[in-house]
């Protein structure tokens, strides 16, 4: 601080800057597994898992779901009973009611969405799976489209009743609004900071970005369980070779 009277310079103690806690890559994977468990139990509505591809994000999520006995909707085969529910004499309204009743059934616990989804398709997806866990795996289109983000904001809101609306004549075969009771997990290779703030603030977040030494650390922690048919000595030798030559590769 400059004193105007005697032109002397003095310093005042500055507040100590708080340092963000750091965690090992193993600890971050443990956090992710714990949060997935919260989503499965319904204690959390949503989470975002970010980081480079090929580090085990998708495998960890699906493995946790399977270990809890949850079933992928896409693996459920229609039963004879469900096929026989619709009769030839049924009127159009009766057929629609039966279709909606089938969608409301408890066949399957989660659905995995990959690739691209428009906002309109997202509304249908959330309606048809409104009581399930929806996993967007590298489906970044829903994180870029403004209309899709508005739908996700409603579905992930902190209110007890989360109503999602689509006010448009183009959705004549779906209700204009519905209550979303499910959960959503986003798995993305994008940096966490590039994901829309409205989504980030509504989700638990785990950043699995790794340095090359952290990749080696992660591989050592799971080495015993990867390719169990291969002798552990061989796997250890291979990993040691990778570690010794980290400077020779970008990936």
């Amino acid at each position: 601080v400059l004193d105007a009277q005697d032109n002397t310079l003095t310093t005042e103690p500055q507040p100590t800057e708080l340092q963000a806690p750091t965690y090992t890559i193993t600890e971050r994977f443990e956090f992710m597994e714990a949060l997935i468990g919260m989503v499965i139990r319904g204690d959390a509505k949503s989470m975002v898992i970010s980081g480079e591809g090929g580090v085990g994000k998708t495998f960890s999520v699906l493995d946790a779901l399977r270990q809890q006995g949850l079933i992928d909707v896409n693996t459920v085969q229609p039963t004879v009973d469900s096929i026989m529910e619709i009769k030839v004499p049924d009127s159009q309204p009766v057929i629609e009611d039966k279709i909606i009743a089938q969608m409301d059934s408890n066949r399957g616990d989660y659905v995995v969405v990959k690739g691209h989804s428009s906002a309109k398709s997202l509304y249908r997806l959330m309606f048809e799976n409104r009581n399930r866990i929806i996993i967007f795996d590298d489906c970044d289109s829903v994180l870029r489209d403004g209309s899709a983000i508005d739908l996700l904001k409603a579905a992930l809101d902190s209110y007890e009743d989360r109503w999602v609306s689509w006010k448009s004549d183009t959705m004549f075969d779906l209700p204009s609004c519905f209550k979303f009771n499910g959960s959503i997990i986003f798995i993305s290779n994008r940096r966490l900071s590039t994901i829309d703030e409205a989504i980030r603030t509504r989700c638990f977040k785990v950043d699995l970005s790794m340095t090359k030494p952290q990749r080696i650390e992660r591989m050592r922690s799971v080495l015993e369980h990867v390719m169990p048919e291969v002798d552990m000595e061989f796997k250890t030798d291979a990993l040691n070779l990778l570690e010794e030559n980290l400077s020779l590769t970008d990936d």
Side-chain angles (χ1 to χ4, degrees):
V1 177
L2 184 63
D3 191 314
Q5 293 183 345
D6 57 13
N7 205 34
T8 58
L9 186 67
T10 61
T11 59
E12 293 182 354
Q14 299 296 314
T16 303
E17 183 177 349
L18 294 177
Q19 297 296 319
T22 57
Y23 301 100
T24 67
I25 191 61
T26 300
E27 289 174 323
R28 282 185 275 158
F29 267 89
E30 291 172 352
F31 295 155
M32 179 189 66
E33 292 167 2
L35 287 171
I36 293 170
M38 291 176 63
V39 172
I40 292 172
R41 294 191 302 271
D43 297 329
K45 298 184 180 72
S46 58
M47 65 180 295
V48 175
I49 305 170
S50 64
E52 299 90 343
V55 300
K57 301 187 299 293
T58 301
F59 173 83
S60 297
V61 171
L62 298 182
D63 187 57
L65 293 168
R66 295 189 192 104
Q67 287 189 23
Q68 293 297 319
L70 273 63
I71 300 173
D72 185 346
V73 170
N74 295 320
T75 65
V76 176
Q77 299 298 321
T79 64
V80 174
D81 290 340
S82 66
I83 296 173
M84 297 300 292
E85 285 176 1
I86 298 176
K87 310 292 184 181
V88 174
D90 286 344
S91 64
Q92 184 68 23
V94 171
I95 292 175
E96 291 176 358
D97 289 342
K98 289 184 176 181
I99 292 174
I100 292 176
Q102 289 181 26
M103 291 192 304
D104 284 339
S105 67
N106 294 320
R107 296 177 301 159
D109 306 292
Y110 67 92
V111 61
V112 181
V113 183
K114 293 176 175 285
H116 174 82
S117 176
S118 66
K120 185 187 296 186
S121 296
L122 175 63
Y123 184 82
R124 181 180 298 277
L125 173 76
M126 290 197 299
F127 171 72
E128 293 176 351
N129 298 279
R130 57 195 179 277
N131 296 312
R132 297 187 176 102
I133 300 173
I134 302 176
I135 301 165
F136 291 103
D137 186 8
D138 286 339
C139 185
D140 291 339
S141 55
V142 299
L143 297 174
R144 296 191 184 99
D145 185 280
S147 297
I149 289 174
D150 286 340
L151 295 174
L152 291 170
K153 285 163 56 178
L156 304 179
D157 222 331
S158 57
Y159 298 112
E160 184 175 350
D161 293 333
R162 293 170 283 156
W163 289 93
V164 182
S165 302
W166 184 283
K167 305 297 185 181
S168 172
D169 293 338
T170 59
M171 283 292 192
F172 62 89
D173 60 331
L174 294 178
S176 60
C177 67
F178 65 93
K179 187 164 72 169
F180 185 77
N181 300 311
S183 305
I184 297 178
I185 298 177
F186 301 96
I187 304 173
S188 177
N189 294 344
R190 296 175 60 184
R191 290 182 178 275
L192 194 59
S193 60
T194 66
I195 295 175
D196 190 276
E197 183 180 6
I199 301 298
R200 284 188 283 122
T201 55
R202 286 168 165 80
C203 298
F204 287 101
K205 298 166 285 291
V206 178
D207 183 7
L208 296 180
S209 301
M210 303 185 203
T211 62
K212 286 192 286 187
Q214 286 174 331
R215 286 176 178 257
I216 295 295
E217 176 189 346
R218 173 60 184 169
M219 284 191 279
R220 286 204 187 280
S221 70
V222 300
L223 195 60
E224 182 180 355
H225 308 289
V226 175
M227 300 176 67
E229 71 279 5
V230 177
D231 190 283
M232 189 66 181
E233 181 182 356
F234 297 148
K235 293 191 289 186
T236 302
D237 287 345
L239 187 55
N240 289 340
L241 180 65
L242 288 175
E243 186 171 23
E244 292 164 6
N245 294 276
L246 275 183
S247 61
L248 302 181
T249 177
D250 292 330
D251 187 358

